[in-house]
Amino acid sequence: MPRVPVYTEQVSTNPLHGVPVRATRSGDALQSVGAGLQAVGDATAAFAIRQQNQRNVEQTMLAETTLKDSYRDFETAAVERRGTNAWGVVGDAEKWFQQNVAEIESKLENDEQRGIFKMTASDLRKTSLDSFAKFESRERQVSVEQSTKASIAGSIDLAARHAGEPEAVAAARTDVLKRLQMLSVSNGWTPERMQTETSDTLAGMHRQVLEQLADSDPEGARAYFDANQADIAGTALDDLGRLVSTAEGRGRAQTATDEIMLQGLTQKDALAKARSYTGQERDDVVSRVKVRYNELESAKADREREVADAAWDVFGRTGKVSSIPARVLHELDGRTLQALKNAEDGGAAATDWATYAELRELALTDPERFTKLDLRHYGNKLKDSDRRGLLTLQEKLRTPENLPEAASTEKQIEVAANVLKLKKPEQKGQLQAAVYNEVAAFTRQAGREPSYDERQKIIDRLLIEGEVPGMIFDRDVSLYEVLGTEDAASFRADIPDDARREIIGALQRAGRPVTEAEIIDLWLRANEQ
């Protein structure tokens, strides 16, 4: 049968000569690849670690910044608390840290961030609580001292309000000493400091007690001072001694005044009696007697005004004095009764210029007294228009700010009176009335008070001289002398004829009325230029 030939291998597996070939083991190759891969992995891991570390640092710093910013706001508000309001600030700070640290910590990403943040927060918390502990301690001490001093002030006030009760004053003194001892212990005062504080505080208490006693019981003030001198030292002792002596002098003056007033003397005789005393006591008695009579006069004036009001009220409704009840008529003073009768007969025919000038002078020198006058008493000496002017002045002078203006007006009138050489009160009174009436007319028309210059123009106009045809006395008169009378319409100012003609022509060309008042105004304006 056929056979398959068998070939003998002709190629050897031995390497060729001259060709270097290094045998390689599969295990070594794998180890080399693994080492390369491990190196790459280590680098990647290191990079990731670095990134995470940076992330941790960043998040921790942001958390710390948030905590510190928030704490700054809390601290700013907390240190504004003073005295008793600062009590408990340490506990409030502890609560704040617990709440805010926990809140911020919950927003961190990992334990490493939270661990780092806790250490920073812990350091800030410790520093903060130490600071707040010192702050609260200081404020507690301040508040205790303030409260203690307030208690001392309360005890002193109590002693002053019960100055006439020895037991109450003694109890207040004991309380003051106890509170001072508390302050001494709390503040660590030296014995010398304690002695000074005690002396000053008790001297203040005794002063307030003595001031109360000085007014109500001068003799009691002397007894109290003598009994408590040991508590008072230095200049305070001298001051309080003078206070007591002054009180005793006032007490003697009060007793003397009472004795004089009980005698029912006239004011003149009572003052003569008061002046019989000597030294300071004389001055005190005279002063007190004057005050007493002023009070009596004021009370009398108030009653007279009340009765006069009732009488004028009845007269205003009936026009008859006989309608006034008898009991009211019985209390009326003579001037008011005469004024009522004059009003019933038609009022004063003319103003008594001397009386008017006297009232104007009183308004300037003693405005307070002038404003209290019942001008109805002068119904028989003042025309109604002049009385109304004085009433207006009374109303103005009730406001102190109007005094300078009133004085200025009066000074301008005084200068004018001197220019005219007016010596008699009635002459000056007539000028005053004319000026004030014209000022009142200006105020009604302009809606304001005239200025200094405007008042001067009013006065200059009133001083212009002229004549009234048909007057009994052939003499020049000033405009102010005829204002308010029937002669005013006939008054002709002393203006040169050529100037008068020129002014009349100007008025006619301007279509303005040709009156003596217009002529005078234009003449004065021309002379101003």
Side-chain angles (χ1 to χ4, degrees), residues 150-181:
S151 176
I152 291 173
S155 296
I156 293 175
D157 180 67
L158 185 65
R161 286 190 288 112
H162 296 273
E165 304 174 26
E167 293 182 358
V169 175
R173 180 181 181 279
T174 299
D175 286 342
V176 167
L177 292 176
K178 289 180 179 178
R179 303 301 180 270
L180 286 173
Q181 184 62 38

PDB file of all heavy atoms in Angstrom, residues 150-181:
ATOM      1  N   ALA A 150     -27.550 105.714  93.212  1.00  0.00           N
ATOM      2  CA  ALA A 150     -28.957 106.101  93.078  1.00  0.00           C
ATOM      3  C   ALA A 150     -29.699 105.889  94.392  1.00  0.00           C
ATOM      4  O   ALA A 150     -30.559 106.692  94.783  1.00  0.00           O
ATOM      5  CB  ALA A 150     -29.622 105.300  91.953  1.00  0.00           C
ATOM      6  N   SER A 151     -29.356 104.800  95.079  1.00  0.00           N
ATOM      7  CA  SER A 151     -29.970 104.548  96.385  1.00  0.00           C
ATOM      8  C   SER A 151     -29.582 105.626  97.384  1.00  0.00           C
ATOM      9  O   SER A 151     -30.405 106.091  98.182  1.00  0.00           O
ATOM     10  CB  SER A 151     -29.544 103.165  96.891  1.00  0.00           C
ATOM     11  OG  SER A 151     -30.056 102.923  98.189  1.00  0.00           O
ATOM     12  N   ILE A 152     -28.310 106.041  97.336  1.00  0.00           N
ATOM     13  CA  ILE A 152     -27.849 107.116  98.223  1.00  0.00           C
ATOM     14  C   ILE A 152     -28.604 108.405  97.924  1.00  0.00           C
ATOM     15  O   ILE A 152     -29.067 109.104  98.833  1.00  0.00           O
ATOM     16  CB  ILE A 152     -26.328 107.329  98.060  1.00  0.00           C
ATOM     17  CG1 ILE A 152     -25.571 106.128  98.628  1.00  0.00           C
ATOM     18  CG2 ILE A 152     -25.876 108.613  98.743  1.00  0.00           C
ATOM     19  CD1 ILE A 152     -24.069 106.170  98.372  1.00  0.00           C
ATOM     20  N   ALA A 153     -28.736 108.736  96.632  1.00  0.00           N
ATOM     21  CA  ALA A 153     -29.466 109.951  96.245  1.00  0.00           C
ATOM     22  C   ALA A 153     -30.920 109.884  96.714  1.00  0.00           C
ATOM     23  O   ALA A 153     -31.494 110.886  97.154  1.00  0.00           O
ATOM     24  CB  ALA A 153     -29.403 110.137  94.729  1.00  0.00           C
ATOM     25  N   GLY A 154     -31.513 108.691  96.617  1.00  0.00           N
ATOM     26  CA  GLY A 154     -32.891 108.532  97.083  1.00  0.00           C
ATOM     27  C   GLY A 154     -33.011 108.753  98.578  1.00  0.00           C
ATOM     28  O   GLY A 154     -33.976 109.369  99.051  1.00  0.00           O
ATOM     29  N   SER A 155     -32.039 108.267  99.339  1.00  0.00           N
ATOM     30  CA  SER A 155     -32.063 108.458 100.794  1.00  0.00           C
ATOM     31  C   SER A 155     -31.914 109.932 101.148  1.00  0.00           C
ATOM     32  O   SER A 155     -32.593 110.447 102.047  1.00  0.00           O
ATOM     33  CB  SER A 155     -30.943 107.641 101.447  1.00  0.00           C
ATOM     34  OG  SER A 155     -31.155 106.253 101.259  1.00  0.00           O
ATOM     35  N   ILE A 156     -31.037 110.627 100.425  1.00  0.00           N
ATOM     36  CA  ILE A 156     -30.848 112.062 100.674  1.00  0.00           C
ATOM     37  C   ILE A 156     -32.118 112.836 100.338  1.00  0.00           C
ATOM     38  O   ILE A 156     -32.542 113.738 101.081  1.00  0.00           O
ATOM     39  CB  ILE A 156     -29.651 112.591  99.858  1.00  0.00           C
ATOM     40  CG1 ILE A 156     -28.351 111.979 100.390  1.00  0.00           C
ATOM     41  CG2 ILE A 156     -29.585 114.111  99.893  1.00  0.00           C
ATOM     42  CD1 ILE A 156     -27.116 112.345  99.570  1.00  0.00           C
ATOM     43  N   ASP A 157     -32.745 112.494  99.224  1.00  0.00           N
ATOM     44  CA  ASP A 157     -34.000 113.147  98.859  1.00  0.00           C
ATOM     45  C   ASP A 157     -35.080 112.895  99.908  1.00  0.00           C
ATOM     46  O   ASP A 157     -35.863 113.799 100.248  1.00  0.00           O
ATOM     47  CB  ASP A 157     -34.464 112.647  97.486  1.00  0.00           C
ATOM     48  CG  ASP A 157     -35.765 113.296  97.044  1.00  0.00           C
ATOM     49  OD1 ASP A 157     -35.750 114.512  96.795  1.00  0.00           O
ATOM     50  OD2 ASP A 157     -36.783 112.585  96.962  1.00  0.00           O
ATOM     51  N   LEU A 158     -35.117 111.692 100.407  1.00  0.00           N
ATOM     52  CA  LEU A 158     -36.091 111.346 101.457  1.00  0.00           C
ATOM     53  C   LEU A 158     -35.843 112.192 102.705  1.00  0.00           C
ATOM     54  O   LEU A 158     -36.788 112.699 103.326  1.00  0.00           O
ATOM     55  CB  LEU A 158     -35.983 109.858 101.792  1.00  0.00           C
ATOM     56  CG  LEU A 158     -37.018 109.308 102.782  1.00  0.00           C
ATOM     57  CD1 LEU A 158     -38.412 109.384 102.194  1.00  0.00           C
ATOM     58  CD2 LEU A 158     -36.689 107.857 103.137  1.00  0.00           C
ATOM     59  N   ALA A 159     -34.563 112.358 103.070  1.00  0.00           N
ATOM     60  CA  ALA A 159     -34.233 113.178 104.244  1.00  0.00           C
ATOM     61  C   ALA A 159     -34.669 114.624 104.033  1.00  0.00           C
ATOM     62  O   ALA A 159     -35.197 115.262 104.956  1.00  0.00           O
ATOM     63  CB  ALA A 159     -32.729 113.110 104.501  1.00  0.00           C
ATOM     64  N   ALA A 160     -34.468 115.153 102.823  1.00  0.00           N
ATOM     65  CA  ALA A 160     -34.844 116.540 102.543  1.00  0.00           C
ATOM     66  C   ALA A 160     -36.358 116.719 102.600  1.00  0.00           C
ATOM     67  O   ALA A 160     -36.861 117.720 103.125  1.00  0.00           O
ATOM     68  CB  ALA A 160     -34.306 116.968 101.180  1.00  0.00           C
ATOM     69  N   ARG A 161     -37.091 115.759 102.075  1.00  0.00           N
ATOM     70  CA  ARG A 161     -38.555 115.874 102.070  1.00  0.00           C
ATOM     71  C   ARG A 161     -39.156 115.713 103.470  1.00  0.00           C
ATOM     72  O   ARG A 161     -40.273 116.153 103.716  1.00  0.00           O
ATOM     73  CB  ARG A 161     -39.157 114.847 101.107  1.00  0.00           C
ATOM     74  CG  ARG A 161     -38.944 115.243  99.652  1.00  0.00           C
ATOM     75  CD  ARG A 161     -39.723 114.388  98.677  1.00  0.00           C
ATOM     76  NE  ARG A 161     -39.175 113.045  98.556  1.00  0.00           N
ATOM     77  CZ  ARG A 161     -39.779 111.952  98.980  1.00  0.00           C
ATOM     78  NH1 ARG A 161     -40.937 112.026  99.621  1.00  0.00           N
ATOM     79  NH2 ARG A 161     -39.210 110.771  98.806  1.00  0.00           N
ATOM     80  N   HIS A 162     -38.428 115.090 104.362  1.00  0.00           N
ATOM     81  CA  HIS A 162     -38.891 114.919 105.747  1.00  0.00           C
ATOM     82  C   HIS A 162     -37.934 115.633 106.702  1.00  0.00           C
ATOM     83  O   HIS A 162     -37.591 115.118 107.766  1.00  0.00           O
ATOM     84  CB  HIS A 162     -38.974 113.431 106.086  1.00  0.00           C
ATOM     85  CG  HIS A 162     -39.996 112.691 105.276  1.00  0.00           C
ATOM     86  ND1 HIS A 162     -41.316 112.604 105.637  1.00  0.00           N
ATOM     87  CD2 HIS A 162     -39.885 112.026 104.086  1.00  0.00           C
ATOM     88  CE1 HIS A 162     -41.984 111.900 104.733  1.00  0.00           C
ATOM     89  NE2 HIS A 162     -41.132 111.542 103.777  1.00  0.00           N
ATOM     90  N   ALA A 163     -37.512 116.845 106.263  1.00  0.00           N
ATOM     91  CA  ALA A 163     -36.500 117.585 107.027  1.00  0.00           C
ATOM     92  C   ALA A 163     -36.933 117.849 108.465  1.00  0.00           C
ATOM     93  O   ALA A 163     -36.099 117.904 109.376  1.00  0.00           O
ATOM     94  CB  ALA A 163     -36.191 118.904 106.321  1.00  0.00           C
ATOM     95  N   GLY A 164     -38.209 118.013 108.690  1.00  0.00           N
ATOM     96  CA  GLY A 164     -38.700 118.315 110.043  1.00  0.00           C
ATOM     97  C   GLY A 164     -38.947 117.089 110.899  1.00  0.00           C
ATOM     98  O   GLY A 164     -39.459 117.218 112.019  1.00  0.00           O
ATOM     99  N   GLU A 165     -38.585 115.907 110.398  1.00  0.00           N
ATOM    100  CA  GLU A 165     -38.816 114.666 111.142  1.00  0.00           C
ATOM    101  C   GLU A 165     -37.462 114.024 111.458  1.00  0.00           C
ATOM    102  O   GLU A 165     -36.868 113.356 110.613  1.00  0.00           O
ATOM    103  CB  GLU A 165     -39.671 113.711 110.312  1.00  0.00           C
ATOM    104  CG  GLU A 165     -41.008 114.317 109.876  1.00  0.00           C
ATOM    105  CD  GLU A 165     -41.770 113.418 108.931  1.00  0.00           C
ATOM    106  OE1 GLU A 165     -41.562 112.184 108.994  1.00  0.00           O
ATOM    107  OE2 GLU A 165     -42.548 113.937 108.095  1.00  0.00           O
ATOM    108  N   PRO A 166     -36.952 114.213 112.670  1.00  0.00           N
ATOM    109  CA  PRO A 166     -35.611 113.717 113.033  1.00  0.00           C
ATOM    110  C   PRO A 166     -35.427 112.228 112.794  1.00  0.00           C
ATOM    111  O   PRO A 166     -34.348 111.795 112.358  1.00  0.00           O
ATOM    112  CB  PRO A 166     -35.512 114.068 114.521  1.00  0.00           C
ATOM    113  CG  PRO A 166     -36.434 115.229 114.697  1.00  0.00           C
ATOM    114  CD  PRO A 166     -37.572 114.975 113.764  1.00  0.00           C
ATOM    115  N   GLU A 167     -36.427 111.412 113.078  1.00  0.00           N
ATOM    116  CA  GLU A 167     -36.288 109.964 112.901  1.00  0.00           C
ATOM    117  C   GLU A 167     -36.095 109.598 111.437  1.00  0.00           C
ATOM    118  O   GLU A 167     -35.265 108.740 111.103  1.00  0.00           O
ATOM    119  CB  GLU A 167     -37.516 109.252 113.465  1.00  0.00           C
ATOM    120  CG  GLU A 167     -37.644 109.360 114.987  1.00  0.00           C
ATOM    121  CD  GLU A 167     -38.849 108.584 115.507  1.00  0.00           C
ATOM    122  OE1 GLU A 167     -39.587 108.005 114.672  1.00  0.00           O
ATOM    123  OE2 GLU A 167     -39.049 108.558 116.733  1.00  0.00           O
ATOM    124  N   ALA A 168     -36.852 110.251 110.556  1.00  0.00           N
ATOM    125  CA  ALA A 168     -36.721 109.968 109.124  1.00  0.00           C
ATOM    126  C   ALA A 168     -35.343 110.383 108.621  1.00  0.00           C
ATOM    127  O   ALA A 168     -34.707 109.675 107.816  1.00  0.00           O
ATOM    128  CB  ALA A 168     -37.810 110.706 108.345  1.00  0.00           C
ATOM    129  N   VAL A 169     -34.855 111.513 109.073  1.00  0.00           N
ATOM    130  CA  VAL A 169     -33.533 111.989 108.653  1.00  0.00           C
ATOM    131  C   VAL A 169     -32.442 111.049 109.162  1.00  0.00           C
ATOM    132  O   VAL A 169     -31.492 110.715 108.432  1.00  0.00           O
ATOM    133  CB  VAL A 169     -33.290 113.417 109.155  1.00  0.00           C
ATOM    134  CG1 VAL A 169     -31.870 113.869 108.818  1.00  0.00           C
ATOM    135  CG2 VAL A 169     -34.300 114.383 108.534  1.00  0.00           C
ATOM    136  N   ALA A 170     -32.575 110.592 110.426  1.00  0.00           N
ATOM    137  CA  ALA A 170     -31.577 109.676 110.994  1.00  0.00           C
ATOM    138  C   ALA A 170     -31.554 108.356 110.235  1.00  0.00           C
ATOM    139  O   ALA A 170     -30.480 107.781 109.976  1.00  0.00           O
ATOM    140  CB  ALA A 170     -31.878 109.438 112.467  1.00  0.00           C
ATOM    141  N   ALA A 171     -32.726 107.853 109.869  1.00  0.00           N
ATOM    142  CA  ALA A 171     -32.800 106.596 109.114  1.00  0.00           C
ATOM    143  C   ALA A 171     -32.137 106.758 107.746  1.00  0.00           C
ATOM    144  O   ALA A 171     -31.421 105.865 107.271  1.00  0.00           O
ATOM    145  CB  ALA A 171     -34.254 106.169 108.955  1.00  0.00           C
ATOM    146  N   ALA A 172     -32.366 107.911 107.110  1.00  0.00           N
ATOM    147  CA  ALA A 172     -31.754 108.165 105.802  1.00  0.00           C
ATOM    148  C   ALA A 172     -30.234 108.230 105.933  1.00  0.00           C
ATOM    149  O   ALA A 172     -29.502 107.707 105.079  1.00  0.00           O
ATOM    150  CB  ALA A 172     -32.290 109.471 105.224  1.00  0.00           C
ATOM    151  N   ARG A 173     -29.757 108.819 107.005  1.00  0.00           N
ATOM    152  CA  ARG A 173     -28.311 108.909 107.224  1.00  0.00           C
ATOM    153  C   ARG A 173     -27.701 107.521 107.380  1.00  0.00           C
ATOM    154  O   ARG A 173     -26.635 107.219 106.824  1.00  0.00           O
ATOM    155  CB  ARG A 173     -28.030 109.756 108.461  1.00  0.00           C
ATOM    156  CG  ARG A 173     -26.549 109.922 108.788  1.00  0.00           C
ATOM    157  CD  ARG A 173     -26.370 110.761 110.056  1.00  0.00           C
ATOM    158  NE  ARG A 173     -24.965 110.961 110.366  1.00  0.00           N
ATOM    159  CZ  ARG A 173     -24.194 110.080 110.992  1.00  0.00           C
ATOM    160  NH1 ARG A 173     -24.705 108.900 111.373  1.00  0.00           N
ATOM    161  NH2 ARG A 173     -22.919 110.339 111.236  1.00  0.00           N
ATOM    162  N   THR A 174     -28.365 106.643 108.126  1.00  0.00           N
ATOM    163  CA  THR A 174     -27.879 105.277 108.314  1.00  0.00           C
ATOM    164  C   THR A 174     -27.811 104.537 106.977  1.00  0.00           C
ATOM    165  O   THR A 174     -26.841 103.827 106.685  1.00  0.00           O
ATOM    166  CB  THR A 174     -28.799 104.521 109.288  1.00  0.00           C
ATOM    167  OG1 THR A 174     -28.794 105.198 110.552  1.00  0.00           O
ATOM    168  CG2 THR A 174     -28.326 103.091 109.477  1.00  0.00           C
ATOM    169  N   ASP A 175     -28.841 104.697 106.164  1.00  0.00           N
ATOM    170  CA  ASP A 175     -28.851 104.055 104.844  1.00  0.00           C
ATOM    171  C   ASP A 175     -27.696 104.560 103.977  1.00  0.00           C
ATOM    172  O   ASP A 175     -27.050 103.781 103.265  1.00  0.00           O
ATOM    173  CB  ASP A 175     -30.184 104.335 104.137  1.00  0.00           C
ATOM    174  CG  ASP A 175     -31.319 103.532 104.721  1.00  0.00           C
ATOM    175  OD1 ASP A 175     -31.045 102.538 105.421  1.00  0.00           O
ATOM    176  OD2 ASP A 175     -32.490 103.905 104.497  1.00  0.00           O
ATOM    177  N   VAL A 176     -27.449 105.848 104.031  1.00  0.00           N
ATOM    178  CA  VAL A 176     -26.364 106.420 103.242  1.00  0.00           C
ATOM    179  C   VAL A 176     -25.028 105.813 103.650  1.00  0.00           C
ATOM    180  O   VAL A 176     -24.199 105.440 102.800  1.00  0.00           O
ATOM    181  CB  VAL A 176     -26.343 107.957 103.408  1.00  0.00           C
ATOM    182  CG1 VAL A 176     -25.040 108.540 102.850  1.00  0.00           C
ATOM    183  CG2 VAL A 176     -27.531 108.584 102.702  1.00  0.00           C
ATOM    184  N   LEU A 177     -24.792 105.692 104.940  1.00  0.00           N
ATOM    185  CA  LEU A 177     -23.526 105.125 105.422  1.00  0.00           C
ATOM    186  C   LEU A 177     -23.369 103.667 104.989  1.00  0.00           C
ATOM    187  O   LEU A 177     -22.269 103.233 104.635  1.00  0.00           O
ATOM    188  CB  LEU A 177     -23.451 105.242 106.945  1.00  0.00           C
ATOM    189  CG  LEU A 177     -23.332 106.673 107.491  1.00  0.00           C
ATOM    190  CD1 LEU A 177     -23.363 106.669 109.012  1.00  0.00           C
ATOM    191  CD2 LEU A 177     -22.049 107.333 106.986  1.00  0.00           C
ATOM    192  N   LYS A 178     -24.448 102.895 105.020  1.00  0.00           N
ATOM    193  CA  LYS A 178     -24.380 101.489 104.585  1.00  0.00           C
ATOM    194  C   LYS A 178     -24.014 101.396 103.109  1.00  0.00           C
ATOM    195  O   LYS A 178     -23.190 100.569 102.711  1.00  0.00           O
ATOM    196  CB  LYS A 178     -25.724 100.805 104.844  1.00  0.00           C
ATOM    197  CG  LYS A 178     -26.036 100.545 106.309  1.00  0.00           C
ATOM    198  CD  LYS A 178     -27.387  99.857 106.440  1.00  0.00           C
ATOM    199  CE  LYS A 178     -27.718  99.566 107.910  1.00  0.00           C
ATOM    200  NZ  LYS A 178     -29.054  98.930 108.054  1.00  0.00           N
ATOM    201  N   ARG A 179     -24.633 102.241 102.300  1.00  0.00           N
ATOM    202  CA  ARG A 179     -24.361 102.200 100.855  1.00  0.00           C
ATOM    203  C   ARG A 179     -22.918 102.629 100.564  1.00  0.00           C
ATOM    204  O   ARG A 179     -22.270 102.077  99.671  1.00  0.00           O
ATOM    205  CB  ARG A 179     -25.337 103.100 100.109  1.00  0.00           C
ATOM    206  CG  ARG A 179     -26.804 102.779 100.327  1.00  0.00           C
ATOM    207  CD  ARG A 179     -27.154 101.356  99.923  1.00  0.00           C
ATOM    208  NE  ARG A 179     -28.552 101.066 100.139  1.00  0.00           N
ATOM    209  CZ  ARG A 179     -29.055 100.568 101.259  1.00  0.00           C
ATOM    210  NH1 ARG A 179     -28.244 100.322 102.296  1.00  0.00           N
ATOM    211  NH2 ARG A 179     -30.348 100.309 101.380  1.00  0.00           N
ATOM    212  N   LEU A 180     -22.429 103.596 101.313  1.00  0.00           N
ATOM    213  CA  LEU A 180     -21.043 104.023 101.122  1.00  0.00           C
ATOM    214  C   LEU A 180     -20.074 102.901 101.485  1.00  0.00           C
ATOM    215  O   LEU A 180     -19.039 102.715 100.825  1.00  0.00           O
ATOM    216  CB  LEU A 180     -20.753 105.260 101.981  1.00  0.00           C
ATOM    217  CG  LEU A 180     -21.361 106.579 101.488  1.00  0.00           C
ATOM    218  CD1 LEU A 180     -21.140 107.675 102.535  1.00  0.00           C
ATOM    219  CD2 LEU A 180     -20.752 106.998 100.153  1.00  0.00           C
ATOM    220  N   GLN A 181     -20.398 102.121 102.521  1.00  0.00           N
ATOM    221  CA  GLN A 181     -19.559 100.991 102.892  1.00  0.00           C
ATOM    222  C   GLN A 181     -19.527  99.951 101.781  1.00  0.00           C
ATOM    223  O   GLN A 181     -18.478  99.364 101.480  1.00  0.00           O
ATOM    224  CB  GLN A 181     -20.071 100.368 104.196  1.00  0.00           C
ATOM    225  CG  GLN A 181     -19.210  99.235 104.738  1.00  0.00           C
ATOM    226  CD  GLN A 181     -17.798  99.693 105.078  1.00  0.00           C
ATOM    227  OE1 GLN A 181     -17.606 100.798 105.572  1.00  0.00           O
ATOM    228  NE2 GLN A 181     -16.802  98.847 104.807  1.00  0.00           N
TER     229      GLN A 181
END
